[in-house]
Amino acid sequence: SSGLFCRFTTSDATIAQLDGNQITCLKAGTVTIGVYQDGDRTYRPAIPVFITFEVQKLSQTITFPNIPDALVGDIPIFVPATSDAGLPITYTISDETIAYFSGPNLYFANAGTVTITANQAGNATYLPASASQEITVTKRTQSITFSLV
């Protein structure tokens, strides 16, 4: 109420960083902010105030473009899933005898239906996320032709 300068402290600068009276949350965790006012010739020092709060992890979204159904032996395709947090994506496949990844490319080995999941494990700032889709790999058709003699 005196209008005098207040000094702020943080219990963990890796969670919450202070710049004057501005707080920037850097990662998830529990942090306590202390506020002090030392007084002057007119005012006594104020009783310090402390507030403890939990900084929550942020959610992230995976963008996973539609993978078309395929035929056994089709040309491998690049699967470009991304996280809006910019974190790396890994993939899992429900049955690697039907389709499998080699590097960033998806190969189609046998007929069947599989679920492909794009995963992001999260980090100190972001929660884990995943997105899945199902594709069907079918056998190629064949035909026999012969000529009459």
Side-chain angles (χ1 to χ4, degrees):
S1 64
S2 68
L4 295 175
F5 173 78
C6 290
R7 180 172 42 89
F8 294 82
T9 62
T10 178
S11 63
D12 189 335
T14 67
I15 295 174
Q17 189 175 50
L18 298 171
D19 183 14
N21 64 354
Q22 299 291 313
I23 301 171
T24 302
C25 296
L26 303 174
K27 68 177 185 178
T30 302
V31 66
T32 300
I33 302 296
V35 184
Y36 303 85
Q37 197 290 311
D38 297 326
D40 65 4
R41 290 187 322 235
T42 306
Y43 291 95
R44 293 181 183 172
I47 297 171
V49 176
F50 300 93
I51 183 168
T52 300
F53 58 94
E54 183 77 22
V55 178
Q56 301 294 318
K57 288 186 177 188
L58 299 171
S59 62
Q60 61 177 315
T61 301
I62 292 179
T63 301
F64 194 11
N66 186 50
I67 300 172
D69 288 343
L71 297 173
V72 173
D74 271 358
I75 295 171
I77 62 169
F78 174 71
V79 180
T82 58
S83 160
D84 64 354
L87 299 172
I89 301 293
T90 59
Y91 299 94
T92 56
I93 298 180
S94 61
D95 186 341
E96 291 186 341
T97 65
I98 296 171
Y100 64 93
F101 279 95
S102 179
N105 296 317
L106 178 61
Y107 289 79
F108 309 102
N110 289 296
T113 300
V114 293
T115 300
I116 299 172
T117 303
N119 300 291
Q120 206 308 303
N123 63 13
T125 304
Y126 289 93
L127 292 166
S130 66
S132 297
Q133 57 184 285
E134 188 175 271
I135 65 163
T136 299
V137 180
T138 55
K139 290 183 178 182
R140 295 180 171 279
T141 58
Q142 63 176 329
S143 60
I144 299 174
T145 58
F146 62 94
S147 57
L148 294 173
V149 187

